[in-house]
mmCIF file of all heavy atoms in Angstrom:
data_model
loop_
_atom_site.group_PDB
_atom_site.id
_atom_site.type_symbol
_atom_site.label_atom_id
_atom_site.label_comp_id
_atom_site.label_asym_id
_atom_site.label_seq_id
_atom_site.Cartn_x
_atom_site.Cartn_y
_atom_site.Cartn_z
ATOM 1 N N LEU A 113 -93.020 -252.174 -62.487
ATOM 2 C CA LEU A 113 -91.968 -251.263 -62.936
ATOM 3 C C LEU A 113 -91.500 -251.672 -64.322
ATOM 4 O O LEU A 113 -91.351 -252.875 -64.593
ATOM 5 C CB LEU A 113 -90.769 -251.305 -61.972
ATOM 6 C CG LEU A 113 -90.779 -250.397 -60.751
ATOM 7 C CD1 LEU A 113 -89.580 -250.710 -59.871
ATOM 8 C CD2 LEU A 113 -90.769 -248.933 -61.151
ATOM 9 N N GLU A 114 -91.301 -250.708 -65.170
ATOM 10 C CA GLU A 114 -90.703 -250.998 -66.467
ATOM 11 C C GLU A 114 -89.203 -251.162 -66.274
ATOM 12 O O GLU A 114 -88.547 -250.314 -65.660
ATOM 13 C CB GLU A 114 -91.000 -249.873 -67.449
ATOM 14 C CG GLU A 114 -92.487 -249.746 -67.776
ATOM 15 C CD GLU A 114 -92.784 -248.543 -68.641
ATOM 16 O OE1 GLU A 114 -91.837 -247.807 -68.979
ATOM 17 O OE2 GLU A 114 -93.961 -248.322 -68.991
ATOM 18 N N THR A 115 -88.643 -252.242 -66.792
ATOM 19 C CA THR A 115 -87.225 -252.521 -66.576
ATOM 20 C C THR A 115 -86.334 -251.421 -67.128
ATOM 21 O O THR A 115 -85.244 -251.161 -66.606
ATOM 22 C CB THR A 115 -86.847 -253.871 -67.223
ATOM 23 O OG1 THR A 115 -87.315 -253.876 -68.584
ATOM 24 C CG2 THR A 115 -87.483 -255.025 -66.475
ATOM 25 N N ASP A 116 -86.789 -250.733 -68.172
ATOM 26 C CA ASP A 116 -85.989 -249.636 -68.738
ATOM 27 C C ASP A 116 -85.812 -248.489 -67.750
ATOM 28 O O ASP A 116 -84.906 -247.666 -67.908
ATOM 29 C CB ASP A 116 -86.657 -249.103 -70.018
ATOM 30 C CG ASP A 116 -86.614 -250.112 -71.156
ATOM 31 O OD1 ASP A 116 -86.001 -251.172 -70.954
ATOM 32 O OD2 ASP A 116 -87.172 -249.821 -72.227
ATOM 33 N N MET A 117 -86.696 -248.422 -66.750
ATOM 34 C CA MET A 117 -86.618 -247.322 -65.788
ATOM 35 C C MET A 117 -85.551 -247.568 -64.724
ATOM 36 O O MET A 117 -85.179 -246.650 -63.989
ATOM 37 C CB MET A 117 -87.976 -247.138 -65.099
ATOM 38 C CG MET A 117 -89.104 -246.732 -66.018
ATOM 39 S SD MET A 117 -90.717 -246.789 -65.206
ATOM 40 C CE MET A 117 -90.489 -245.649 -63.846
ATOM 41 N N LEU A 118 -85.041 -248.810 -64.609
ATOM 42 C CA LEU A 118 -84.135 -249.129 -63.526
ATOM 43 C C LEU A 118 -82.747 -248.521 -63.698
ATOM 44 O O LEU A 118 -82.118 -248.086 -62.747
ATOM 45 C CB LEU A 118 -84.014 -250.660 -63.393
ATOM 46 C CG LEU A 118 -85.293 -251.392 -62.997
ATOM 47 C CD1 LEU A 118 -85.018 -252.880 -62.851
ATOM 48 C CD2 LEU A 118 -85.860 -250.839 -61.699
ATOM 49 N N SER A 119 -82.263 -248.498 -64.919
ATOM 50 C CA SER A 119 -80.917 -248.017 -65.161
ATOM 51 C C SER A 119 -80.762 -246.564 -64.703
ATOM 52 O O SER A 119 -81.468 -245.674 -65.164
ATOM 53 C CB SER A 119 -80.574 -248.127 -66.665
ATOM 54 O OG SER A 119 -79.274 -247.643 -66.902
ATOM 55 N N GLY A 120 -79.863 -246.377 -63.754
ATOM 56 C CA GLY A 120 -79.604 -245.039 -63.248
ATOM 57 C C GLY A 120 -80.657 -244.519 -62.315
ATOM 58 O O GLY A 120 -80.648 -243.335 -61.952
ATOM 59 N N SER A 121 -81.603 -245.383 -61.898
ATOM 60 C CA SER A 121 -82.704 -244.920 -61.031
ATOM 61 C C SER A 121 -82.771 -245.783 -59.768
ATOM 62 O O SER A 121 -83.815 -246.335 -59.429
ATOM 63 C CB SER A 121 -84.041 -244.986 -61.786
ATOM 64 O OG SER A 121 -84.012 -244.193 -62.939
ATOM 65 N N GLU A 122 -81.621 -245.911 -59.101
ATOM 66 C CA GLU A 122 -81.582 -246.752 -57.905
ATOM 67 C C GLU A 122 -82.549 -246.234 -56.826
ATOM 68 O O GLU A 122 -83.202 -247.009 -56.138
ATOM 69 C CB GLU A 122 -80.152 -246.793 -57.321
ATOM 70 C CG GLU A 122 -79.129 -247.416 -58.250
ATOM 71 C CD GLU A 122 -78.622 -246.431 -59.305
ATOM 72 O OE1 GLU A 122 -78.679 -245.197 -59.097
ATOM 73 O OE2 GLU A 122 -78.180 -246.910 -60.371
ATOM 74 N N SER A 123 -82.648 -244.906 -56.706
ATOM 75 C CA SER A 123 -83.528 -244.339 -55.681
ATOM 76 C C SER A 123 -84.988 -244.655 -55.974
ATOM 77 O O SER A 123 -85.792 -244.870 -55.049
ATOM 78 C CB SER A 123 -83.323 -242.830 -55.578
ATOM 79 O OG SER A 123 -83.638 -242.195 -56.802
ATOM 80 N N LEU A 124 -85.362 -244.692 -57.261
ATOM 81 C CA LEU A 124 -86.740 -245.030 -57.625
ATOM 82 C C LEU A 124 -87.083 -246.444 -57.171
ATOM 83 O O LEU A 124 -88.107 -246.666 -56.521
ATOM 84 C CB LEU A 124 -86.927 -244.913 -59.140
ATOM 85 C CG LEU A 124 -88.247 -245.454 -59.698
ATOM 86 C CD1 LEU A 124 -89.417 -244.608 -59.213
ATOM 87 C CD2 LEU A 124 -88.210 -245.477 -61.230
ATOM 88 N N LEU A 125 -86.209 -247.397 -57.487
ATOM 89 C CA LEU A 125 -86.462 -248.784 -57.096
ATOM 90 C C LEU A 125 -86.470 -248.911 -55.571
ATOM 91 O O LEU A 125 -87.349 -249.582 -55.011
ATOM 92 C CB LEU A 125 -85.398 -249.695 -57.705
ATOM 93 C CG LEU A 125 -85.514 -251.184 -57.360
ATOM 94 C CD1 LEU A 125 -86.863 -251.726 -57.799
ATOM 95 C CD2 LEU A 125 -84.382 -251.972 -58.009
ATOM 96 N N LYS A 126 -85.522 -248.268 -54.916
ATOM 97 C CA LYS A 126 -85.460 -248.334 -53.450
ATOM 98 C C LYS A 126 -86.742 -247.806 -52.832
ATOM 99 O O LYS A 126 -87.320 -248.434 -51.927
ATOM 100 C CB LYS A 126 -84.264 -247.522 -52.957
ATOM 101 C CG LYS A 126 -84.163 -247.434 -51.440
ATOM 102 C CD LYS A 126 -83.002 -246.541 -51.028
ATOM 103 C CE LYS A 126 -82.981 -246.307 -49.532
ATOM 104 N NZ LYS A 126 -81.861 -245.415 -49.121
ATOM 105 N N ASN A 127 -87.227 -246.666 -53.301
ATOM 106 C CA ASN A 127 -88.435 -246.082 -52.724
ATOM 107 C C ASN A 127 -89.663 -246.936 -52.989
ATOM 108 O O ASN A 127 -90.538 -247.065 -52.124
ATOM 109 C CB ASN A 127 -88.649 -244.676 -53.289
ATOM 110 C CG ASN A 127 -87.629 -243.683 -52.782
ATOM 111 O OD1 ASN A 127 -87.022 -243.885 -51.726
ATOM 112 N ND2 ASN A 127 -87.394 -242.619 -53.537
ATOM 113 N N ARG A 128 -89.730 -247.533 -54.178
ATOM 114 C CA ARG A 128 -90.885 -248.394 -54.480
ATOM 115 C C ARG A 128 -90.878 -249.641 -53.595
ATOM 116 O O ARG A 128 -91.918 -250.101 -53.122
ATOM 117 C CB ARG A 128 -90.890 -248.781 -55.964
ATOM 118 C CG ARG A 128 -91.004 -247.594 -56.910
ATOM 119 C CD ARG A 128 -92.407 -247.030 -56.979
ATOM 120 N NE ARG A 128 -93.181 -247.606 -58.040
ATOM 121 C CZ ARG A 128 -93.273 -247.122 -59.285
ATOM 122 N NH1 ARG A 128 -92.593 -246.035 -59.612
ATOM 123 N NH2 ARG A 128 -94.034 -247.696 -60.176
ATOM 124 N N ILE A 129 -89.695 -250.187 -53.369
ATOM 125 C CA ILE A 129 -89.581 -251.364 -52.498
ATOM 126 C C ILE A 129 -89.967 -250.994 -51.062
ATOM 127 O O ILE A 129 -90.771 -251.700 -50.415
ATOM 128 C CB ILE A 129 -88.144 -251.921 -52.527
ATOM 129 C CG1 ILE A 129 -87.849 -252.584 -53.882
ATOM 130 C CG2 ILE A 129 -87.921 -252.940 -51.402
ATOM 131 C CD1 ILE A 129 -86.409 -253.013 -54.062
ATOM 132 N N LEU A 130 -89.418 -249.915 -50.550
ATOM 133 C CA LEU A 130 -89.710 -249.513 -49.170
ATOM 134 C C LEU A 130 -91.194 -249.203 -48.971
ATOM 135 O O LEU A 130 -91.785 -249.571 -47.954
ATOM 136 C CB LEU A 130 -88.863 -248.288 -48.790
ATOM 137 C CG LEU A 130 -87.373 -248.550 -48.576
ATOM 138 C CD1 LEU A 130 -86.635 -247.241 -48.364
ATOM 139 C CD2 LEU A 130 -87.148 -249.475 -47.382
ATOM 140 N N ASN A 131 -91.785 -248.544 -49.944
ATOM 141 C CA ASN A 131 -93.200 -248.206 -49.828
ATOM 142 C C ASN A 131 -94.069 -249.463 -49.828
ATOM 143 O O ASN A 131 -95.030 -249.569 -49.072
ATOM 144 C CB ASN A 131 -93.625 -247.282 -50.959
ATOM 145 C CG ASN A 131 -95.034 -246.785 -50.763
ATOM 146 O OD1 ASN A 131 -95.306 -245.965 -49.900
ATOM 147 N ND2 ASN A 131 -95.956 -247.294 -51.585
ATOM 148 N N ALA A 132 -93.716 -250.426 -50.696
ATOM 149 C CA ALA A 132 -94.490 -251.667 -50.758
ATOM 150 C C ALA A 132 -94.393 -252.433 -49.445
ATOM 151 O O ALA A 132 -95.391 -252.973 -48.935
ATOM 152 C CB ALA A 132 -94.003 -252.528 -51.914
#
Side-chain angles (χ1 to χ4, degrees):
L113 273 174
E114 295 174 359
T115 51
D116 292 356
M117 297 170 59
L118 296 182
S119 179
S121 301
E122 297 82 24
S123 61
L124 171 66
L125 179 59
K126 176 184 173 181
N127 290 337
R128 299 284 267 269
I129 289 173
L130 288 173
N131 187 71

